[in-house]
Amino acid sequence: MTERTFSIIKPDATRRNITGKINAVIEEAGLRIVAQRRVHLTEEQAKTFYAVHAERPFYGELVGQMTAEPVVVQVLQGDNAVARYREVMGATNPEQAADGTIRKLFALSIGENSVHGSDSLENAGIEIAQFFTDADIVG
Ligand SMILES: Nc1ncnc2c1ncn2[C@@H]1O[C@H](COP(=O)(O)OP(=O)(O)OP(=O)(O)O)[C@@H](O)[C@H]1O
């Protein structure tokens, strides 16, 4: 089934100027980038986005990393896009990520792991709506 998922290319990647390399992996995996925008997240935006992790010990570090440099927010479209993108990203910890995945190829650490992708279709809808209107998405 054709789905849309939400993606963030994180500050560790924008800082290293590798957003194009990451987009190439996304596109080669059959996902279409149907909306994309560069944004420097405010602390409030990052805290809201990662509110589910508020009680975790790494929350402060995560918010700090996500606001350190601009990010690229994206909507990706394709067959089973939510699960497919999770596959393409690889495991949260790059040491455990499979060969060919974005995190295996580019991530620096479990925190600076280059990309975010929605973990469910429901969350994808919620996350997309935080950054894009329907008019921004051209499928
Ligand atoms: N142990 C940790 N130490 C530091 N940062 C962490 C740790 N665990 C997770 N993070 C950071 O928090 C983010 C969200 O954690 P989560 O467990 O939801 O991972 P994920 O589902 O693989 O990633 P994401 O939600 O970003 O797509 C991770 O992508 C990572 O940047």
Side-chain angles (χ1 to χ4, degrees):
M1 189 183 59
T2 301
E3 291 175 352
R4 285 176 177 167
T5 192
F6 178 72
S7 159
I8 302 179
I9 301 180
K10 295 185 177 184
D12 71 90
T14 60
R15 190 175 68 230
R16 287 177 289 153
N17 213 21
I18 56 171
T19 61
K21 287 183 179 169
I22 291 174
N23 277 348
V25 178
I26 290 170
E27 292 184 336
E28 277 158 21
L31 292 165
R32 192 169 286 275
I33 301 163
V34 294
Q36 178 168 261
R37 185 158 59 86
R38 197 171 157 91
V39 53
H40 199 141
L41 295 178
T42 63
E43 193 177 324
E44 197 186 326
Q45 275 176 312
K47 282 183 168 168
T48 304
F49 189 78
Y50 281 117
V52 293
H53 295 307
E55 302 308 321
R56 309 279 285 275
F58 57 82
Y59 182 63
E61 181 189 329
L62 179 60
V63 170
Q65 283 167 354
M66 291 301 290
T67 54
E69 304 271 344
V71 300
V72 175
V73 292
Q74 306 175 305
V75 180
L76 310 181
Q77 179 175 295
D79 243 21
N80 297 312
V82 173
R84 179 81 186 114
Y85 189 43
R86 298 287 294 183
E87 227 172 70
V88 173
M89 291 195 307
T92 310
N93 182 347
E95 285 174 13
Q96 287 157 13
D99 283 347
T101 62
I102 292 170
R103 285 167 169 167
K104 177 71 172 195
L105 288 166
F106 303 115
L108 300 175
S109 65
I110 189 164
E112 293 193 302
N113 59 4
S114 303
V115 281
H116 161 82
S118 307
D119 61 5
S120 69
L121 195 55
E122 187 190 355
N123 282 339
I126 293 167
E127 292 172 0
I128 288 169
Q130 287 179 39
F131 293 94
F132 296 101
T133 65
D134 284 349
D136 297 324
I137 304 168
V138 183

